[in-house]
Every structure is written in C-alpha cells, then in structure tokens.
Amino acid sequence: MRLIQLFKKELSHEARTWVRDELVSEQQANSILARYGTSLNDDTDKNSFGYYLLMSLGVLFIGLALILIVSHNWDEIPRSIRTGSLLLLTLVTNAVGIKLFLSKRIRAGIIWLLFGGMSYGASIMLIAQIYHLGEHFPDGIFWWALGILPLVVFTQSRLLALLSLSLASIWLVVESGEDFFPTLYPIFISVTLWLTLFQARSRLLFLSCVVGLLVWINLGLAWIMGSGYHFDPVAEQLPFSLGLGLIINGVAWWLMRADKSDWREYGLVVHIWLLRAAIITLLVFSFEGVWEEYPSDQSWLSVISVIFILVSGMLAFRLSRASGRYASLPTLMLTGYLTFSFYLVSAFSHMEFISAIATNLMLLLMGILLIRRGIDQSETHYFYTGIVVLLLTAFIRYFDLIGDYIGGAVLFLVAAGILMAAAKYWKHHVTLIALKQGGHSE
C-alpha cells in the first residue's frame, strides 16, 4: 500500500509537469489522475501538512508537560484555585479553537481544540483526584473520549477523531481489565466510520475501526459466556472470529467495486491485511498440536460456530462474487476448509491429524492461487506472497513432520503432485489462449 501511495504522489507530480509543459491540459491531467484516485491538487500542500503535524505534536508535548507541572505543585495550591484554573484553561483553549475554526482558520483551530482536549482530560483526572471522586478510574478515560466526540462531529477533524478513538480504545482495554463490559464502545466506532466513509479520508482510522469492532465483538462473546457478569473466553470463539473475518473480506471486495476512490482504497487495505492475517492463521493451524487444544465434544456452541462459518462464507461469497474468480474462489476454499476442519475436530475424536493435513493442503492451494493472481494481474505483491507461502510451508513441514518420516515424505509428494498439476494446467491454459489469439488474427 505504501508503494501505491508513493506512485500516486509521483504521478500527481509528473502530471503537474505535463500541464506546465503544455503537453496536456489541466482537465485532461485531472481525468487521467482520477482513474488512480488522485488529482493535480493532491500533495501540493505537503509543506503545510508538515507544519500542521509538528504543531500538533508540539501541542501534545505541551499538554503532557502541563499535567506534570501541575501535579508537581499540586498539594501546595488551594483546592478552589486548582479547580478554577483547570476549568478556565479548558474553556479558554476550546473557545479560542472554535473561534479560529469558525473564522476559516481551520488548522489553527484544530490545534487549539487538540490542546483544549488535552486540558479537558487533565481537568477530569486532576479534579477527580482533588475531590476523591469515584474509585472506578476507567470512567475518567471514557468521559474524556466522549467529551471530544462532539468536536469530531463539528470539525470533522481526523486528528481529533484519532484522539477520541485512541482514548476509547484505552478505555475498552482498562474497562474489560476491571471485569466490566465496554457497552458504549460502538458509539466511537460509528462516529469514526461516518467520518472516514463520508467526510474525510483516513486509512488508519478506518482500519482501526475494523480492528476495534472485532475486539469488541469477541469481548461481547466472552461476556455472554460469562453469563453477563464476567469474561469467560472459550475456544469456540475462534470459529466465530474466523467467520467474521470472512464477512469483512466480502465487505472489502464490495468496497473495492465502489464508485468512490476512498472506499476502494479502504477495501484494498482491509483485504491486504486480512490476507496476511489469513496466511499467519493457516501457518499456525498447520501444526497438529494446535488442533489438539480445540475441544472435541460436540456441544451446542461448537455446532453453532461451524454453522456460523458456513453462513458467513455464503454471505462473503455473495459480496465478493461480482469481483471475479480471485475474489470468490478463495472465499469458497476457505469456507469449505474451515467448515470441514472445525466440524471434524469437534464431532469426532483424534481427527487433529486430518485437520492439520487439510491446513497444509490449503496453504499449497493459497500459494498457487496467489502466484497465479500476481502474474495475471501483474501485481508483484501477490506473486511474492504466494512464493513465500509455499516456501514457508515446506520449511515448517521439513522441521515439524506430520506423523513419521514416511508420512512426511508422502505429504511432500502430494504437495509436489499438486504443484506440478497446477503448472500443467497453467501451461495448457496459456496454450489455449495463444491458439485463440492466433485464430482471431487469421
């Protein structure tokens, strides 16, 4: 993704040169750049962005310094002066920020509002300390994040949204650490998603929302299993998480077909990270010992989790089918493999061996498909990822045999047969294409 962004910036820079040399008109240059989701105006304000970034970090450091200075002399200052000073600082900084923002000095206003947000958080923490309010300290972080949220909606600022979502995520962790369920976390996810989908582009915020949502849903499952009083994580959560991954991948393919270039970028970013997560997960599942940890009793929860994978796969296939075979085929393969493996392990005893073999075959098919996709679509990322998947599978299985030496040798021979069969099919397919092209030219 980083290379794609560099390519877009370089293309915008090159297009401005074409316009300046009168090789193309400004309208033609923008039409060309629009195909890649950029324009002549992109990257022209990078100097002001650098200023904005450094100023924002400076404000963050000032806020931290302020908290330390006040804390150092805290006991020597009368209580009323302490409280009044904190409230006054918060009100003044936010008022200045709003005034600058309304007078169209957007970035200066955002920086002041960021400082106001820091002051607001310091006020909550320190006033609570003065009056010994509340023993449940995560509440302070929650009210800090929630207090910034209206400013996110009002200014549509990505910086303030990042501050609010970061605080909300810290609250998610500490609240669950105190054995309470963070019920209101989706509020922060919803506002951030609204901002990134409809108002301001930010791949970081969008990806953070996806990760945060997955964590919150998993916490919710553990909370339900604990009868709504405490967290009780269970092994069956894993199939649920994998099913959610299938659905999100389907949504990513749907986003990649959207008219808005921002949405297409979000879809691509999510798809690439899910692909990496899927490969790592398969490599972990390729060990027989991992499957031995999964419960083999056919409980109602294990049955529901397998059904959930199947339904999620069907939904993901429905969402990705229109994007072509490289979208729908891996979805079908993964759905079939996960349903088969988890059902086998939960329904029958001593089936870990079969599930581990199925995982290794799945890695082979995934590697072949990625190499094929990389060559067909001229994208080196997928090509080299496919090669790495095949080499890692061979390396891991060489040092961690499934069964004895003979079993390992049989697995390598089966893998070689699959790779050669795929190569033969590929050659046959290329020959057919060449014959068709020859027939058309005659």
Side-chain angles (χ1 to χ4, degrees):
M1 276 309 298
R2 182 64 186 161
L3 289 176
I4 294 173
Q5 293 305 313
L6 290 174
F7 168 72
K8 286 183 178 181
K9 290 179 184 297
E10 185 63 28
L11 189 62
S12 297
H13 174 75
E14 195 66 24
R16 284 195 291 274
T17 309
W18 298 342
V19 174
R20 188 187 61 207
D21 295 342
E22 298 182 351
L23 294 174
V24 296
S25 68
E26 189 170 325
Q27 185 180 4
Q28 288 172 325
N30 272 322
S31 299
I32 294 170
L33 292 173
R35 296 176 66 88
Y36 300 91
T38 183
S39 70
L40 286 173
N41 295 324
D42 277 11
D43 203 31
T44 53
D45 61 344
K46 57 184 178 184
N47 291 325
S48 61
F49 174 74
Y51 168 79
Y52 178 61
L53 180 65
L54 291 176
M55 284 296 290
S56 302
L57 290 172
V59 166
L60 178 65
F61 278 59
I62 290 172
L64 294 173
L66 179 68
I67 294 172
L68 290 176
I69 291 170
V70 173
S71 299
H72 176 68
N73 299 305
W74 201 240
D75 294 332
E76 300 169 10
I77 305 172
R79 180 182 290 186
S80 58
I81 296 178
R82 286 182 262 169
T83 306
S85 302
L86 288 169
L87 293 176
L88 184 65
L89 179 67
T90 302
L91 288 173
V92 168
T93 49
N94 280 290
V96 172
I98 290 172
K99 183 182 178 184
L100 289 171
F101 186 83
L102 291 175
S103 60
K104 305 299 181 189
R105 296 175 62 185
I106 305 294
R107 288 190 168 177
I110 296 295
I111 289 172
W112 273 96
L113 287 173
L114 177 65
F115 187 43
M118 297 290 294
S119 304
Y120 171 64
S123 301
I124 290 176
M125 299 299 176
L126 295 176
I127 290 174
Q129 185 184 341
I130 294 170
Y131 296 100
H132 308 290
L133 298 176
E135 297 177 355
H136 188 65
F137 80 94
D139 285 349
I141 304 173
F142 171 76
W143 288 110
W144 187 358
L146 191 66
I148 298 172
L149 212 53
L151 291 175
V152 175
V153 177
F154 173 64
T155 61
Q156 299 172 9
S157 162
R158 289 171 292 187
L159 189 61
L160 294 176
L162 181 62
L163 177 62
S164 176
L165 187 63
S166 301
L167 290 169
S169 300
I170 293 171
W171 170 69
L172 174 88
V173 174
V174 295
E175 182 80 347
S176 54
E178 294 285 315
D179 237 3
F180 288 93
F181 181 62
T183 312
L184 298 178
Y185 185 71
I187 293 176
F188 302 95
I189 294 286
S190 303
V191 172
T192 311
L193 277 178
W194 164 79
L195 180 74
T196 53
L197 286 174
F198 300 106
Q199 306 300 332
R201 179 175 62 184
S202 173
R203 293 182 298 279
L204 174 64
L205 284 174
F206 186 79
L207 201 58
S208 300
C209 286
V210 174
V211 175
L213 195 59
L214 277 174
V215 172
W216 183 79
I217 290 173
N218 268 286
L219 285 173
L221 288 172
W223 187 251
I224 291 170
M225 294 311 298
S227 303
Y229 292 103
H230 65 280
F231 294 99
D232 186 15
V234 291
E236 286 82 356
Q237 278 185 235
L238 184 58
F240 277 107
S241 298
L242 294 171
L244 288 172
L246 287 172
I247 294 174
I248 293 173
N249 192 49
V251 173
W253 279 108
W254 178 76
L255 284 173
M256 280 191 274
R257 299 194 305 272
D259 293 332
K260 293 181 71 172
S261 62
D262 296 352
W263 289 24
R264 292 199 296 273
E265 273 198 32
Y266 293 155
L268 184 58
V269 169
V270 171
H271 169 65
I272 287 175
W273 280 102
L274 281 175
L275 176 63
R276 292 167 182 168
I279 291 169
I280 293 171
T281 305
L282 285 174
L283 287 172
V284 172
F285 282 175
S286 69
F287 292 91
E288 189 179 349
V290 175
W291 288 102
E292 291 173 356
E293 300 293 326
Y294 194 77
S296 58
D297 58 323
Q298 196 171 14
S299 62
W300 64 270
L301 192 59
S302 61
V303 173
I304 290 176
S305 64
V306 171
I307 293 173
F308 184 74
I309 288 179
L310 194 59
V311 173
S312 302
M314 291 168 63
L315 180 59
F317 176 74
R318 173 83 177 167
L319 289 167
S320 61
R321 186 175 54 182
S323 298
R325 58 180 173 175
Y326 291 122
S328 57
L329 188 57
T331 303
L332 286 178
M333 286 166 48
L334 280 170
T335 304
Y337 152 72
L338 290 172
T339 306
F340 169 76
S341 298
F342 279 103
Y343 175 73
L344 201 65
V345 172
S346 61
F348 303 98
S349 301
H350 310 299
M351 286 292 156
E352 299 83 9
F353 178 75
I354 303 295
S355 293
I357 290 177
T359 308
N360 283 276
L361 295 178
M362 187 66 211
L363 278 166
L364 281 176
L365 294 174
M366 182 76 85
I368 293 169
L369 203 61
L370 284 170
I371 291 173
R372 178 69 190 269
R373 181 181 176 185
I375 292 175
D376 275 1
Q377 299 180 346
S378 301
E379 294 188 33
T380 55
H381 170 76
Y382 298 113
F383 177 78
Y384 288 116
T385 303
I387 289 177
V388 168
V389 169
L390 294 179
L391 291 178
L392 270 177
T393 306
F395 179 78
I396 291 172
R397 286 289 70 80
Y398 186 80
F399 289 100
D400 183 79
L401 295 174
I402 294 179
D404 54 12
Y405 284 98
I406 299 300
V410 170
L411 183 62
F412 274 116
L413 286 174
V414 171
I418 292 173
L419 288 168
M420 289 179 179
K424 286 281 186 186
Y425 171 77
W426 195 338
K427 185 178 179 182
H428 175 69
H429 183 67
V430 169
T431 306
L432 283 178
I433 292 175
L435 286 173
K436 284 182 181 177
Q437 289 176 343
H440 286 306
S441 62
E442 288 174 5

